[in-house]
Amino acid sequence: MQRIYRPADMAEASLLAAVLADHHIRSHISGGYLQGAIGDLPVHDLLGLWVEDEDVDRSTELIHAYLQASPINEEDSELPQP
């Protein structure tokens, strides 16, 4: 397994793991329980998102695409009125 991303928090880690799962890629979040020790441990680099070696390239592409996506503008998402 390889760590492909360092999420900022557990919410981001869970969201990205769900994105990967939607594409049939199994992942593991490391360090999730360490966030409770903040104060005794450094705040940065506690979390990691890991995938199998053969899924590294596709997972990296999916995460990059997710991070580069723009929010949907409600005005743009409305269907044209007849």
Side-chain angles (χ1 to χ4, degrees):
M1 290 191 98
Q2 294 184 37
R3 181 169 57 182
I4 58 165
Y5 188 70
R6 292 183 176 121
D9 53 36
M10 197 60 189
E12 182 183 31
S14 298
L15 179 71
L16 292 174
V19 168
L20 296 177
D22 285 345
H23 290 85
H24 308 288
I25 297 173
R26 293 181 350 152
S27 63
H28 172 74
I29 300 169
S30 65
Y33 296 109
L34 294 175
Q35 289 190 323
I38 291 178
D40 295 327
L41 294 173
V43 177
H44 303 290
D45 292 332
L46 293 180
L47 294 173
L49 187 60
W50 298 72
V51 297
E52 295 293 335
D53 294 340
E54 61 269 11
D55 295 324
V56 169
D57 292 335
R58 181 69 177 132
S59 299
T60 303
E61 289 173 10
L62 290 168
I63 290 173
H64 181 72
Y66 173 81
L67 294 174
Q68 297 300 317
S70 299
I72 295 175
N73 185 348
E74 288 184 25
E75 294 173 5
D76 294 340
S77 65
E78 292 182 21
L79 296 174
Q81 297 297 322

